[in-house]
């Protein structure tokens, strides 16, 4: 890469010298007697040959740089739908490389081949309906194939989540994510209301709903089970954000006032990925891809994919929100107080 | 009878010539040619500023360790004590770069320049239908630019939420310093800019429909005029929608309404706004935003059509197909906007529909590309700088357009949305391709604008450096996008998955600086040629269209009568003809040697054409 940079700089210097040379020529040679239209001369030939050079050099450069970069492409997919869209992506890329090469080559080749020659006359060739029909139909058919394959994948990915999906809420704020789980007992997310948000209750959990009593939140890690559908319920607190999990091929905007969702099946645990990539420090990451202010580039959350057993163990080790902040017991309506208090008390007892 | 004679007979008429004051002639001018130059030079200045901003943030991305304290005298507090760009300033740079390039350079600079300059000259009119409205159009643009420029010097900085200004970020001052006064000025500026566009657009459409010279039927219009007409219609339909979105946003920001706001907790308090939808704004924005990219690219395609035909010395291939595909693209551009919103949580079924409609656009676009290539096939190519830039434009349009087929596929967009893949895609297909259209147009019509020639060799060097430079920037940018790098990131060190590819970002930055430096060749060439260029002949490219039948005209364009038109604009290398071009003003009755049987039928029409009114506003030039 450094070599390439040096080369580029060298080329720039040489070209700059050429330009400087030309500039002096221009300033001196402002000769009003030269008349136009003038016969295309040597410069026309040079430019024509440049196009031929461009085909060769361009082809080599694109192929080389492409191969050089392959190791960085599409980080290893770890979800079922992710591998499907990856396949579709490479299929589309492969297919589109053909017109990319053909069209550019034809364009530059014709530029060279039909360069001006003295005494030659261009062909008067204003239309050919059959040809036009062909090159309207061929792209149309190719597009139809791409639309159909894409449509099928898209409708499968965006279909309703399976019944047994693990439901987890993720909320974006300036500048971080907060995960909320349904809790160890009912595993159901309680209601929320944005007006209940405060410094502790960051996602506005509504404690008049009894399913919220065992909910717990986590601001730094999102744990999910492997090989089981996970449904992310996505919210935003302040401005737009977007949940992006590159390895899972997951992306969905977080919109204040309009909950969104995305479900997927992760099929490689963090441990498996570490082994597969030979990188003991590997972590799945969640990023934000909708500009949300100056901390946009640092809204990181770590995603931990683990087997069912350690997932359940992790869940059991988490404290319900009510236990961490028992003062929120005040928000619980009188008739449910006993139930809620039981949570707080029981948890407190077991922890000791 | 030669071409020259047809035109020259007008020169015998002498008439009164009253001098306009300096102000009326050069500043508050109603002459479409002066207004075109005003748009062009203002656009060039904005382009220099807009690209400079991009070089600044490219330095941040390519050389995050660089010490920029030497910029403190200019940028002050935007550079931290350790010589780094502030994150907020980075977003402001990105936002201003996008806004300036899309609206001020590629919309006003391209359409404003060439619609103004070419419409009256190519259809055979003395001026625009309303010279006064045309003047207003420029001055509204000027004031819009002035306000945007002022916003860059605010304490809290200019707007910094991306050029798409999505609320709630853009609506809430608490969310970002740039959403304060900077955003207010952005909205005011764009509102004025829209007024300018509408004044211009109404004028372009009216002029093309009403002021064509006799014989200039729609099927004899050059493709450039077709493209300006379609562009103006697109703008007229879509810009008001952006204006309404901006107005609603102003209400949300200043008058407590909730069009785009709902259930927001920010800065330690829960706002009372409920029931609005931030997604509604995106629908309104992209209802303009998508046609906008065609507003940018269609004039470039029109210019390219003229230039490629002229310099291939061949008729444009498939004239009717070219018009049909432009109409098709224009129509489709209104019903694909939501492909910018596949992952906003909108109904997935809607996503399928928009994917289908989006991919259809590839068909008329492909037709255009193939037609350009066939135009060059068996031609006799003159590589003027304009021709080179047109060939480059077709290449960039195709290369960038192809990746659009991937992004238009909603399933693939999940991963690629808002990554550098998108940035690379639209910079090639609309940014660079439209800029090449602009360069091509400037090189081609400079002789008519200023009566001087630009230096050809410098133009050719400028082309090669820019063309290669752009591919060096944007091909690797696709790679970075495939690797998953998100857009509008201040730095890539926060994440493991983006820490891997940093030398590629360095490479892109070096290529960007290199390409930017190459533009100074153009600036030098442009400004010195205005004053010191060789005197241009009337028709340096041996072209057929009407503007080349008048010699560096004053207000009114033609001395004496406006010429009549007898044939289509692409009679290049017609078999049997003496020259390899026959101007539109030459009747078929004087070219029996080159007439096709169908042309002979048109001879009967000539009398009828000559008996028509001139549609002449002033009767003579003045």
């Amino acid at each position: 890469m450094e070599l390439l940079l040096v080369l580029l700089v060298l080329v720039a210097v040489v070209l700059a010298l050429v330009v400087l040379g030309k500039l002096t020529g221009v300033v001196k040679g402002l000769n009003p007697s030269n008349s136009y239209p003038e016969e295309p001369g040597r410069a026309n030939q040079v430019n024509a040959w440049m196009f031929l050079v461009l085909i060769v050099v361009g082809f080599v450069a694109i192929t080389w740089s492409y191969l050089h970069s392959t190791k960085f492409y599409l980080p290893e997919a770890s979800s079922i739908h992710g591998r499907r869209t990856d396949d579709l992506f490479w299929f589309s890329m492969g297919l589109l490389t053909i017109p990319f090469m053909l069209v550019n080559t034809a364009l530059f080749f014709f530029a060279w081949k039909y360069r001006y020659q003295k005494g030659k006359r261009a062909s008067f060739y204003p239309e050919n309906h059959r040809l036009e029909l062909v090159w309207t139909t061929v792209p149309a058919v190719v597009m139809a194939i791409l639309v159909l394959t894409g449509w099928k994948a898209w409708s499968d990915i965006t279909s309703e989540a399976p019944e047994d999906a693990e439901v987890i809420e993720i909320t974006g704020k300036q500048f971080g994510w907060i995960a909320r789980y349904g809790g160890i007992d009912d595993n159901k997310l309680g209601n929320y209301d944005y007006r209940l948000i405060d410094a502790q209750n960051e996602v506005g959990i509504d404690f008049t709903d009894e399913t919220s009593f065992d909910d717990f939140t986590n601001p730094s890690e999102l744990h999910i089970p492997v090989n089981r559908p996970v449904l992310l319920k996505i919210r935003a607190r302040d401005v737009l954000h977007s949940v992006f999990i590159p390895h899972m091929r997951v992306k969905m905007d977080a919109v204040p006032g309009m909950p969104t969702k995305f479900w997927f099946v992760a099929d490689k645990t963090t441990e498996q990925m570490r082994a597969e990539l030979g990188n003991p420090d590997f972590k799945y990451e969640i990023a934000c891809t909708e500009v949300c202010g100056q901390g946009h580039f640092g809204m990181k959350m770590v995603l931990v994919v683990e087997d069912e057993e350690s997932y359940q163990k992790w869940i059991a080790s988490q404290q319900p929100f009510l236990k961490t902040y028992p003062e929120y017991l005040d928000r619980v309506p009188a008739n449910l107080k006993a139930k809620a208090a039981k949570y707080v008390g029981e948890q407190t007892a077991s922890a000791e | 009878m030669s071409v020259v004679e047809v035109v020259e007979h007008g020169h015998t008429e002498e008439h009164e010539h009253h001098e306009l004051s300096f102000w009326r002639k050069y500043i508050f001018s109603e002459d479409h040619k002066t207004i075109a130059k005003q748009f062009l030079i203002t656009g060039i200045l904005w382009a220099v500023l807009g690209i400079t901003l991009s070089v600044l943030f490219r330095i941040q991305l390519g050389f995050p360790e660089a010490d920029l304290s030497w910029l403190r005298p200019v940028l002050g507090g935007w550079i931290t004590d350790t010589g780094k760009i502030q994150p907020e300033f980075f977003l402001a740079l990105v936002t201003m770069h996008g806004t300036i390039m899309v609206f001020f350079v590629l919309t006003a600079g391209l359409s404003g320049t060439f619609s103004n300059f070419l419409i009256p000259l190519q259809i055979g009119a003395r001026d625009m239908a309303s010279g006064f409205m045309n003047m207003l159009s420029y001055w509204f643009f000027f004031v819009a630019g002035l306000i945007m420029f002022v916003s860059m010097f605010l304490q809290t900085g200019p707007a910094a939420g991306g050029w798409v200004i999505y609320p709630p970020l853009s609506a809430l001052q608490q969310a970002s310093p740039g959403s304060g006064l900077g955003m207010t000025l952005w909205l005011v500026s764009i509102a004025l800019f829209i007024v300018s566009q509408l004044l211009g657009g109404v004028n372009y459409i009216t002029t093309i429909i009403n002021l064509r010279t006799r014989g200039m039927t729609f099927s004899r219009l050059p493709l450039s005029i077709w493209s300006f007409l379609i562009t103006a219609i697109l703008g007229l339909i879509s810009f008001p929608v952006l204006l309404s979105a901006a107005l609603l946003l102003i209400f949300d920001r200043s008058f407590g309404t909730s069009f785009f706001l709902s259930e927001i907790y920010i800065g330690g308090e829960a706002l009372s706004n409920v029931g609005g939808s931030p997604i509604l704004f995106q629908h309104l924005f992209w209802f303009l935003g998508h046609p906008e990219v065609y507003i940018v690219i269609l004039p470039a395609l029109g210019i390219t059509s003229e230039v490629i035909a002229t310099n291939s010395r061949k008729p444009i291939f498939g004239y009717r197909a070219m018009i049909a595909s432009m109409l098709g693209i224009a129509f489709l551009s209104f019903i694909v906007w939501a492909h910018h919103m596949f992952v906003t949580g909108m109904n997935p079924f809607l996503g399928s529909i928009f994917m289908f409609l989006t991919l259809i656009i590839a068909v008329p676009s492909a037709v255009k590309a193939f037609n350009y290539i066939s135009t060059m096939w068996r031609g006799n190519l003159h590589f003027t700088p304009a021709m080179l830039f047109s060939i480059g434009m077709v290449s960039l349009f195709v290369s960038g357009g192809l990746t659009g087929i991937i992004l238009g596929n909603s399933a693939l967009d999940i991963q690629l949305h808002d990554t550098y893949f998108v940035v690379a895609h639209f910079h090639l297909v609309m940014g660079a391709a439209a800029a090449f259209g602009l360069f091509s147009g400037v090189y081609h019509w400079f002789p008519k604008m200023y009566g001087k020639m630009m230096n050809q060799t410098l133009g050719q060097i400028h082309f090669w450096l820019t063309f290669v430079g752009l591919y060096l920037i944007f091909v690797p940018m696709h790679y970075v996008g495939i690797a998953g790098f998100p857009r509008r990131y201040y730095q890539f060190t926060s994440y493991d998955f983006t820490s891997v590819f940093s030398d590629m970002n360095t490479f892109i930055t070096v290529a960007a600086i290199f390409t930017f430096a190459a533009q100074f060749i153009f600036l030098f060439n442009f400004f010195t040629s205005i004053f010191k260029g060789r005197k241009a002949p009337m028709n340096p490219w041996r072209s057929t269209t009407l503007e080349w039948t008048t010699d560096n005209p004053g207000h009114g364009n033609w001395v004496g009568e406006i010429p009549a038109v007898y044939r289509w604009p692409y009679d290049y290398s017609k078999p049997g003809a003496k020259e390899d071009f026959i101007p539109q003003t030459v009747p078929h009755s004087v070219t029996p040697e080159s007439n096709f049987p169908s042309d002979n039928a048109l001879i009967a029409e000539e009398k009828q054409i000559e008996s028509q009114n001139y549609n002449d506003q002033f009767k003579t030039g003045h």
Side-chain angles (χ1 to χ4, degrees):
Chain A
M1 186 50 86
E2 266 171 34
L3 186 73
L4 208 61
L5 279 178
V6 171
L7 268 179
L8 200 69
V9 170
L10 271 181
V11 171
V13 169
V14 170
L15 288 173
L17 288 178
V18 172
V19 172
L20 275 181
K22 282 286 167 193
L23 285 186
T24 46
V26 175
V27 178
K28 281 181 196 155
L30 296 168
N31 181 359
S33 70
N34 271 10
S35 68
Y36 278 84
E38 59 184 28
E39 196 77 0
R42 204 166 56 91
N44 211 61
Q45 295 290 325
V46 173
N47 279 284
W49 282 94
M50 286 285 280
F51 278 111
L52 206 60
V53 174
L54 184 68
I55 296 178
V56 179
V57 176
F59 182 77
V60 172
I62 290 214
T63 315
W64 176 81
S65 64
Y66 176 87
L67 294 175
H68 168 81
S69 313
T70 34
K71 57 179 177 290
F72 301 119
Y73 292 158
L74 291 176
E76 194 60 36
S78 307
S79 63
I80 294 172
H81 83 268
R83 273 190 294 282
R84 181 172 177 187
T85 56
D86 280 10
D87 289 346
L88 204 54
F89 174 77
W90 290 118
F91 169 72
S92 305
M93 278 296 264
L95 199 64
L96 296 174
T97 306
I98 300 167
F100 170 74
M101 292 290 181
L102 279 183
V103 171
N104 277 307
T105 307
L107 187 68
F108 302 149
F109 180 74
F110 287 173
W112 169 76
K113 178 133 200 284
Y114 299 109
R115 64 195 181 278
Y116 172 83
Q117 276 162 349
K118 202 175 166 66
K120 197 178 83 176
R121 187 97 183 225
S123 306
F124 188 85
Y125 192 64
E127 57 192 350
N128 178 335
H129 290 303
R130 188 172 300 170
L131 207 57
E132 290 174 75
L133 198 65
V134 169
W135 65 47
T136 312
T137 317
V138 171
V141 171
V142 174
M143 287 309 119
I145 296 171
L146 291 177
V147 165
L148 286 178
T149 50
W151 190 7
K152 192 78 188 60
W154 170 253
S155 40
D156 288 347
I157 293 167
T158 55
S159 60
E160 284 300 313
E163 292 278 312
D164 64 333
E166 184 77 358
V167 182
I168 305 167
E169 182 189 76
I170 180 164
T171 304
K173 61 160 191 172
Q174 287 183 326
F175 296 97
W177 302 102
I178 305 149
R180 180 162 71 112
Y181 289 76
I184 190 157
D185 285 343
D186 60 5
N187 199 14
K188 267 197 186 133
L189 289 166
N191 290 344
Y192 63 86
D193 188 324
Y194 82 104
R195 279 164 296 205
L196 299 173
I197 296 176
D198 56 39
Q200 282 90 41
N201 188 3
E202 288 198 298
V203 291
I205 305 171
D206 178 2
F207 289 104
T208 60
D209 176 10
E210 57 181 299
T211 57
S212 68
F213 296 162
D214 61 343
D215 288 6
F216 64 86
T217 60
N218 192 309
S220 59
E221 285 188 350
L222 183 74
H223 285 242
I224 62 170
V226 73
N227 291 328
R228 191 142 74 81
V230 172
L231 171 63
L232 292 181
K233 295 201 152 192
I234 302 165
R235 293 204 281 134
R237 227 169 70 160
D238 34 38
V239 299
L240 294 174
H241 301 277
S242 188
V243 178
F244 178 36
I245 317 178
H247 291 86
M248 298 298 163
R249 311 292 188 260
V250 167
K251 187 175 291 143
M252 182 52 72
D253 285 2
V255 184
M258 191 188 95
T260 56
K261 58 185 196 279
F262 200 107
W263 76 271
F264 62 101
V265 183
D267 62 358
K268 285 179 192 167
T269 63
T270 303
E271 288 302 323
Q272 280 168 336
M273 276 296 267
R274 283 177 180 165
E276 191 177 321
L277 299 174
N279 175 8
D281 299 323
F282 173 81
K283 287 193 281 293
Y284 289 116
E285 292 164 318
I286 301 177
C288 178
T289 50
E290 186 66 75
V291 64
C292 58
Q294 53 181 318
H296 172 53
F297 64 96
M299 273 180 67
K300 178 164 153 177
M301 181 178 233
V302 172
L303 171 72
V304 179
V305 184
E306 51 198 349
D307 56 41
E308 194 65 38
E309 192 186 345
S310 52
Y311 175 67
Q312 294 301 343
K313 217 152 92 190
W314 180 78
I315 291 219
S317 74
Q318 299 294 301
Q319 286 192 355
F321 183 88
L322 268 184
K323 191 200 158 195
T324 320
Y325 301 104
E327 64 270 27
Y328 283 81
L329 211 53
D330 302 345
R331 307 264 182 97
V332 177
N335 61 334
L336 294 171
K337 272 234 157 60
K339 194 168 177 190
K342 185 198 77 171
Y343 266 110
V344 177
E346 191 181 77
Q347 297 285 329
T348 317
S350 68
E352 283 159 2
Chain B
M1 181 172 175
S2 86
V3 186
V4 183
E5 278 171 302
V6 174
V7 180
E8 296 276 300
H9 76 277
H11 279 269
T12 50
E13 286 183 35
E14 288 299 325
H15 49 82
E16 286 295 305
H17 208 255
H18 62 99
E19 273 303 314
L20 291 165
S21 70
F22 171 83
W23 285 95
R24 293 289 288 157
K25 197 169 173 191
Y26 296 106
I27 310 296
F28 296 105
S29 171
E30 293 183 22
D31 182 352
H32 70 102
K33 296 184 292 297
T34 307
I35 295 171
K37 290 178 208 170
Q38 289 174 330
F39 270 109
L40 178 60
I41 291 185
T42 317
I44 288 176
L45 295 179
W46 274 114
V48 172
L49 180 63
I51 300 172
T52 307
L53 301 182
S54 76
V55 168
L56 274 180
F57 66 71
R58 268 322 312 181
I59 290 176
Q60 163 64 25
L61 292 172
F63 300 97
E65 306 300 320
D67 183 1
L68 298 179
S69 2
W70 56 277
L71 281 172
R72 290 201 75 164
V74 188
L75 297 173
W78 291 121
I79 306 288
T80 63
D81 295 335
T82 51
K84 301 273 170 288
I85 286 176
Q86 297 256 19
E88 178 69 22
F89 182 54
F90 176 85
L91 289 179
L93 286 173
V94 173
T95 306
M96 282 298 116
H97 169 72
T99 307
I100 289 170
M101 297 311 283
V102 170
F103 291 118
F104 294 169
V105 179
L106 296 177
T107 305
L110 180 58
S111 243
T113 304
F114 291 104
S115 295
N116 267 312
F117 192 74
L118 292 178
I119 288 174
L121 277 170
Q122 287 195 331
I123 66 169
R126 297 281 181 203
D127 203 318
M128 284 289 177
S130 165
F132 181 70
M133 267 169 76
N134 210 20
M135 178 184 79
L136 277 188
S137 163
Y138 173 75
W139 286 104
F140 268 101
F141 164 55
F142 184 84
V143 174
L146 207 61
I147 291 173
M148 193 65 81
F149 190 69
V150 165
S151 84
M152 288 193 253
F153 296 93
L154 296 176
Q155 178 95 50
T156 49
W163 79 281
V164 295
I165 57 154
Y166 286 170
L169 182 63
S170 59
L172 303 172
Q173 295 200 28
Q174 307 94 306
S176 150
S179 300
L181 190 54
M183 194 50 167
T184 307
L185 292 187
W186 192 99
L187 289 167
V188 171
S189 167
I190 292 301
L192 292 174
F193 181 79
I194 293 169
V195 173
S196 149
Q197 285 302 300
L198 298 182
L199 286 168
V202 168
N203 233 337
Y204 304 153
I205 296 170
T206 318
T207 309
I208 293 172
I209 293 176
N210 290 317
L211 293 181
R212 283 165 291 128
T213 185
R214 50 186 183 171
M216 181 58 94
T217 58
F218 273 93
S219 57
R220 287 182 188 145
L221 284 179
L223 284 173
S224 47
I225 299 300
W226 270 104
S227 76
F228 301 144
L229 175 64
I230 295 169
T231 304
I233 294 171
L234 284 184
L236 218 51
I237 299 174
S238 61
F239 267 114
V241 180
L242 180 67
L243 186 62
S244 67
L247 282 179
L248 296 184
L249 187 54
I250 289 172
F251 281 132
D252 272 8
R253 287 167 52 81
S254 308
F255 304 110
T257 54
S258 309
F259 292 107
F260 308 129
L261 303 177
S262 187
E263 302 184 28
I264 290 165
Y265 176 91
I266 192 166
E269 63 165 335
L271 306 183
S272 56
N273 310 69
V274 284
S277 165
I279 304 301
L280 171 64
F281 179 86
Q282 297 186 22
H283 281 295
L284 293 174
F285 182 87
W286 288 113
F287 191 85
L288 158 92
H290 199 77
E292 169 65 24
V293 306
Y294 293 97
I295 290 173
V296 163
I297 202 68
L298 281 175
L301 289 167
I303 289 168
T304 305
S305 305
E306 290 310 292
V307 172
I308 288 186
T310 302
N311 289 292
S312 298
R313 316 307 297 162
K314 272 189 69 191
I316 193 86
F317 186 86
Y319 174 76
R320 278 162 200 284
M322 290 298 242
I323 297 169
S325 55
M326 280 197 282
L327 289 172
I329 289 173
F331 173 72
L332 287 170
S333 75
F334 280 106
I335 47 175
V336 297
W337 77 88
H339 68 218
H340 298 268
M341 302 166 58
F342 283 140
V343 296
T344 53
M346 71 175 188
N347 188 325
F349 178 70
L350 215 51
S352 317
I353 302 295
F354 277 101
M355 163 169 68
F356 173 68
L357 294 168
T358 300
L359 294 202
I360 297 180
I361 290 199
V363 177
S365 307
V367 168
K368 289 201 82 76
F370 291 138
N371 282 4
Y372 288 126
I373 293 172
S374 324
T375 305
M376 287 164 60
W377 182 71
R378 291 172 68 182
N380 203 21
L381 273 55
H382 295 228
F383 295 113
T384 61
M387 178 63 167
L388 291 173
F389 274 100
S390 287
I391 295 173
M393 188 273 176
V394 175
S395 171
L396 294 166
F397 181 66
V398 169
S399 304
L402 285 169
T403 49
I405 295 171
I406 292 199
L407 290 167
N409 189 326
S410 51
L412 306 183
D413 187 58
I414 296 171
Q415 176 74 5
L416 296 170
H417 184 81
D418 269 340
T419 65
Y420 268 89
F421 197 83
V422 180
V423 180
H425 155 71
F426 73 72
H427 272 91
L428 277 186
V429 75
M430 107 186 220
F436 267 42
L438 180 64
F439 282 132
S440 182
V442 171
Y443 281 114
H444 194 72
W445 280 287
F446 189 89
K448 197 54 60 188
M449 283 182 171
Y450 294 99
K452 304 283 179 63
M453 301 301 293
M454 285 178 83
N455 183 279
Q456 300 282 295
T457 314
L458 282 183
Q460 287 159 341
I461 294 172
H462 172 224
F463 165 74
W464 285 104
L465 297 184
T466 311
F467 189 53
V468 173
L470 284 172
Y471 269 117
L472 286 178
I473 300 170
F474 294 113
V475 171
M477 203 178 272
H478 282 97
Y479 303 158
V480 174
I482 300 174
F485 282 46
R487 291 172 78 172
R488 298 176 178 136
Y489 265 33
Y490 168 68
Q491 61 186 28
F492 290 112
T493 45
S494 322
Y495 292 91
D496 292 343
F497 79 95
T498 57
S499 313
V500 287
F501 219 179
S502 60
D503 54 353
M504 196 55 102
N505 263 320
T506 312
F507 179 83
I508 294 171
T509 299
V510 173
I513 294 172
F514 167 77
T515 314
F516 178 55
Q519 303 318 304
F520 286 92
I521 302 172
F522 170 79
L523 292 177
F524 173 84
N525 196 357
F526 182 85
F527 287 108
T528 52
S529 297
I530 291 178
F531 301 105
K532 296 192 166 178
R534 283 185 289 186
K535 191 173 179 316
M538 191 162 73
N539 189 0
W541 320 121
R542 299 157 62 77
S543 190
T544 55
T545 38
L546 280 184
E547 75 274 27
W548 306 108
T549 63
T550 177
D551 206 358
N552 194 22
H555 196 193
N557 294 344
W558 281 271
V559 179
E561 289 185 339
I562 303 176
V565 164
Y566 301 96
R567 56 177 77 223
W568 80 325
Y570 299 106
D571 268 346
Y572 289 106
S573 302
K574 208 170 179 190
K578 280 193 285 294
E579 299 272 353
D580 66 353
F581 72 112
I582 309 174
Q584 288 189 277
T585 49
V586 177
H588 286 102
S589 53
V590 302
T591 57
E593 69 280 4
S594 67
N595 287 357
F596 295 126
S598 56
D599 294 335
N600 288 322
L602 294 173
I603 295 178
E605 274 183 26
E606 286 169 13
K607 286 250 163 350
Q608 201 191 334
I609 289 174
E610 275 150 22
S611 65
Q612 282 170 8
N613 280 329
Y614 271 101
N615 231 345
D616 191 340
Q617 294 142 292
F618 316 141
K619 302 302 170 207
T620 57
H622 57 265

